[in-house]
Amino acid sequence: MSKKILVTGALGQIGSELVPELKSKHGKDDVIALDYSSPPDDYEGLLLEGDVRDKEVLSELWEKYDFDEVYHLASLLSATGEKKPDLAWDVNMEGLKHVLDLAKEHDTKIFWASSIAVFGPNTPREKTPQHTILEPITVYGVTKVSGELLCQYYHEKYDLDVRSLRYPGLISWKEKPGGGTTDYAVEMFYKAVEGENYICFVDEETRLPMMYMEDAIRGTLKLMEAPEEKIKVRTSYNHSALNFEAKDLEREIQKHYPDFEVEYKPDERQKNADSWPDSVDDSKAREDWGWDHEYDLEKMVKVMLENLERKLN
Ligand code: NAD
Ligand code: AKB
């Protein structure tokens, strides 16, 4: 029997890759995309324009489509969140609360995106454990910790099947990232392919957990397809693949573009990056539901450059 699926924040960096993947698995008419931005002219398929802060809009959609699954991605990210903390709280928390309440009413399975931004300066930086200190210093991180606890609460109290991943910085070529701290990594690729040098907004020794988008999408679908008894963490799973310093990425890109140069001029986003781990221990996700990544730095850089060259030239 076909499933009806809703993806919120569908035009974003993740949604623009998750929606086509879900459509190819479940059929194009069964995946409903929602975003509050208007779709570009060349957007393929139906996109509904609506704000996740508006419960009426979501409620009407649930009544109409009776969703089996919702991937709730609509959010403000870390850098935009620091510029607009009130809006970040409203979008990230109200949106999630509405989605959880409607899911509870309609018995819908939920995926919600958390982040390495749940961690803070007091968290162990190396191989950050699944269960550890969560004292973020960004409003984005505060919404992600609160969201994780709310998801777990709805699971415990109402038996809601809600699943989540703490994504690291995601690297992709289809859609540009939307206002985060790890965006520097994607920007570096664009500049190299465009034949320009790059001024990087974090310093060269900044090490952060990262992942190629294809791995993130595969992990997300694997988590959602796993039998319920395998899901032991209802806050959010640590989800990891690789980590590198900004300078490591520059060097790897220079293997393909020897003339490419990066100047490091940290701005206010350095503080966010400094508060996040160097590496994350995701052994719980690997043990519980068989997560495994495929892309290391070398493979990811090669594929990113090939795809961006095709896209931009
Ligand atoms: P993005 O900024 O690229 O996309 C978010 C989308 O949500 C945008 O298209 C935006 O228009 C939409 N949106 C924002 N407010 C909305 C509202 N009120 N109503 C409806 N739509 C709204 O973000 P992304 O990178 O695709 O991230 C998706 C999720 O994954 C977020 O929860 C984010 O915190 C999480 N995440 C992303 C990364 C990453 O590196 N991309 C890493 C960790 C976690
Ligand atoms: C950001 O930098 O804000 C995101 C994230 C790691 O959550 N990419």
Side-chain angles (χ1 to χ4, degrees), residues 103 166 175 259:
R166 290 172 179 157
E175 204 54 55
D259 296 335

Side-chain angles (χ1 to χ4, degrees), residues 190-300:
Y190 271 84
K191 289 292 180 192
V193 174
E194 285 163 350
E196 291 175 37
N197 291 331
Y198 178 52
I199 300 176
C200 182
F201 61 77
V202 297
D203 73 39
E204 62 182 48
E205 287 177 354
T206 303
R207 179 177 290 280
L208 286 170
M210 299 276 185
M211 185 182 287
Y212 186 50
M213 185 63 84
E214 197 179 304
D215 272 341
I217 300 291
R218 215 168 30 77
T220 305
L221 297 178
K222 197 167 170 81
L223 173 74
M224 285 298 273
E225 285 160 11
E228 202 167 350
E229 66 276 10
K230 300 266 185 203
I231 308 301
K232 307 278 200 290
V233 174
R234 293 295 182 164
T235 49
S236 188
Y237 276 100
N238 281 3
H239 193 223
S240 184
L242 51 137
N243 63 79
F244 51 77
E245 291 186 1
K247 188 76 183 170
D248 299 332
L249 181 60
E250 178 193 346
R251 286 200 194 100
E252 195 57 40
I253 293 176
Q254 280 165 344
K255 290 185 187 165
H256 304 260
Y257 288 83
D259 296 335
F260 177 59
E261 282 176 20
V262 179
E263 190 185 340
Y264 292 89
K265 280 195 177 171
D267 68 12
E268 70 285 350
R269 289 168 282 189
Q270 182 70 47
K271 195 173 165 205
N272 306 346
D274 287 344
S275 74
W276 295 347
D278 289 359
S279 61
V280 168
D281 174 4
D282 63 355
S283 49
K284 195 84 184 96
R286 291 173 193 261
E287 280 159 25
D288 287 1
W289 47 275
W291 159 241
D292 202 5
H293 68 282
E294 284 180 5
Y295 285 83
D296 60 14
L297 180 61
E298 196 184 333
K299 187 172 169 188
M300 180 185 74

Side-chain angles (χ1 to χ4, degrees), residues 106-123:
H106 296 265
D107 197 20
T108 316
K109 186 170 169 182
I110 299 296
F111 174 81
W112 175 69
S114 187
S115 161
I116 53 163
V118 292
F119 305 121
N122 298 325
T123 308

